[in-house]
Amino acid sequence: MTPSADLLDTRVVADAAALKALADPLRLHMLEVLAKDPSRTWTVKALAAQMQQPVTRLYHHMKLLEAANLVIDAETRIVSGIVEHRYRCAQRSIKLDERMFGGADTRDASIATVSGIVEQAREDLEAYLQRPDADTERVTMGRALARLTEEERVEVMARLEQVIDDIAARREDQDRTGLPRSAITVLMHPVPDDGI
């Protein structure tokens, strides 16, 4: 078994294979489930049950994630004459290398990946808010438009990335086991100038 100490803290995706593997919402969801406990190993069958998906649907996706080094085959064993693989995340969190948006061979996959992340956040929020016990005081959202200097843009992006890093660091704190989970999705991007 590959020890959890081998986990990357943050993987910066800078290759087309990983980017294309991330461009599918189901694979993003698989990684999200695996990342909830990066030291845990999962069979595809157990992951399919957790995600309420047909096991046959996940085998292909798991192989693509493995080929892109986003998951690791942490243990292989023979169970009742059948080879069983147990997988785990290869990293605790993922960031996209911004240069991936500019490459002709990665632009479409970059856009699909970002769209998939935003869609997953929307689905998670919608599912939470539709619950009868949803506490809207625990949800916050905002949107702001501003004209920023390059220095201001860099400074704001650094602060947002620090917030993400601070939250991600809490994931490993065993004293937090049993606390409600929270998600944060941050986007900062230029918008077309409308002349206003």
Side-chain angles (χ1 to χ4, degrees), residues 123-154:
E123 288 175 7
D124 291 346
L125 177 61
E126 220 173 70
Y128 176 74
L129 291 175
Q130 290 177 352
R131 289 175 30 179
D133 64 338
D135 180 358
T136 57
E137 295 292 318
R138 297 183 67 201
V139 176
T140 186
M141 190 195 88
R143 177 171 165 94
L145 298 171
R147 296 184 185 277
L148 302 176
T149 66
E150 181 61 16
E151 293 79 23
E152 291 169 329
R153 183 194 66 77
V154 168

Side-chain angles (χ1 to χ4, degrees), residues 94-160:
I94 294 173
K95 290 184 181 178
L96 298 182
D97 185 328
E98 291 85 6
R99 294 173 293 181
M100 300 301 287
F101 291 99
D105 60 333
T106 57
R107 185 177 181 83
D108 289 344
S110 298
I111 293 167
T113 299
V114 170
S115 297
I117 292 168
V118 172
E119 180 65 18
Q120 184 66 52
R122 185 195 62 76
E123 288 175 7
D124 291 346
L125 177 61
E126 220 173 70
Y128 176 74
L129 291 175
Q130 290 177 352
R131 289 175 30 179
D133 64 338
D135 180 358
T136 57
E137 295 292 318
R138 297 183 67 201
V139 176
T140 186
M141 190 195 88
R143 177 171 165 94
L145 298 171
R147 296 184 185 277
L148 302 176
T149 66
E150 181 61 16
E151 293 79 23
E152 291 169 329
R153 183 194 66 77
V154 168
E155 188 263 334
V156 169
M157 286 183 85
R159 287 181 17 215
L160 292 172

Side-chain angles (χ1 to χ4, degrees), residues 8-117:
L8 290 175
D9 190 40
T10 300
R11 170 152 182 209
V12 178
V13 174
D15 62 283
L19 190 61
K20 289 174 184 173
L22 291 170
D24 182 88
L26 180 61
R27 289 191 290 272
L28 283 172
H29 190 205
M30 290 169 69
L31 282 174
E32 185 176 84
V33 172
L34 293 171
K36 287 179 186 176
D37 182 357
S39 63
R40 178 179 174 182
T41 61
W42 294 75
T43 64
V44 174
K45 183 178 180 179
L47 185 62
Q50 176 71 27
M51 294 176 61
Q52 300 178 347
Q53 292 285 331
V55 69
T56 54
R57 183 170 184 212
L58 297 192
Y59 280 114
H60 167 72
H61 292 287
M62 186 61 80
K63 287 300 181 189
L64 289 174
L65 291 170
E66 183 183 13
N69 297 314
L70 294 165
V71 300
I72 294 170
D73 186 346
E75 181 180 1
T76 302
R77 60 186 183 168
I78 305 295
V79 178
S80 301
I82 298 172
V83 177
E84 177 184 81
H85 299 275
R86 298 188 68 83
Y87 298 93
R88 70 161 177 80
C89 263
Q91 62 284 311
R92 288 184 174 89
S93 64
I94 294 173
K95 290 184 181 178
L96 298 182
D97 185 328
E98 291 85 6
R99 294 173 293 181
M100 300 301 287
F101 291 99
D105 60 333
T106 57
R107 185 177 181 83
D108 289 344
S110 298
I111 293 167
T113 299
V114 170
S115 297
I117 292 168

